[in-house]
């Protein structure tokens, strides 16, 4: 009974690692190449290779082996460090993005002639 619970937990952990690697890879695919260069966070091709390898390794190897842990670290570095910097440069949407108000004009906010 205890081993079944541990195996179930490890299976869920492996799915979480796979999902994290897939999210990071898909996010990197849709980011602009020039934003990577502008932030000095390597190149887009570099991150696509690293995250692609991390995704494949997380699919092929069990979570307790060494390679998926390295892939997990690479995915976490991308999500925590590279992704916010690239989003800031490329103006990626989402919460807290650099979106202006609906009343903003080309020279700043419109105040109704006040």
């Amino acid at each position: 009974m205890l081993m079944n619970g541990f195996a179930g937990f490890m299976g869920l952990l492996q799915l979480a690692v796979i999902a994290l690697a897939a999210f990071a890879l898909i996010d990197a695919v849709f980011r602009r190449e020039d934003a990577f260069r502008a932030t000095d966070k390597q190149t887009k091709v570099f991150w696509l290779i690293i995250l692609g390898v991390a995704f494949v390794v997380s699919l092929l190897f069990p979570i307790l082996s060494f390679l998926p842990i390295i892939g997990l670290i690479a995915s976490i570095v991308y999500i925590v460090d590279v992704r916010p910097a690239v989003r800031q440069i490329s103006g990626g949407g989402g919460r807290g993005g650099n979106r202006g108000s609906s009343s903003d004009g080309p020279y700043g906010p419109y105040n109704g002639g006040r």
Side-chain angles (χ1 to χ4, degrees):
M1 173 95 166
L2 184 62
M3 289 305 286
N4 287 338
F6 182 72
F9 173 73
M10 294 308 286
L12 289 176
L13 192 60
Q14 178 132 16
L15 283 176
V17 170
I18 291 169
L20 190 69
F23 171 76
L25 179 62
I26 291 169
D27 185 74
V29 165
F30 288 108
R31 298 292 170 191
R32 292 187 352 221
E33 164 64 31
D34 60 336
F36 284 88
R37 284 183 276 124
T39 59
D40 287 334
K41 301 289 184 185
Q42 296 296 328
T43 63
K44 180 177 181 174
V45 173
F46 172 84
W47 281 108
L48 289 176
I49 290 170
I50 294 293
L51 295 171
V53 169
F55 178 70
V56 170
V57 162
S58 67
L59 284 174
L60 297 179
F61 292 95
I63 189 67
L64 290 178
S65 76
F66 192 66
L67 291 176
I69 294 172
I70 293 173
L72 175 65
I73 292 169
S75 299
I76 290 172
V77 166
Y78 175 80
I79 290 172
V80 171
D81 183 41
V82 178
R83 183 175 185 254
V86 171
R87 282 181 70 185
Q88 185 176 11
I89 293 293
S90 63
R95 293 180 273 144
N98 293 336
R99 289 180 279 156
S101 169
S102 63
S103 65
D104 283 355
Y107 305 107
Y110 177 72
N111 61 9
R114 291 180 241 167

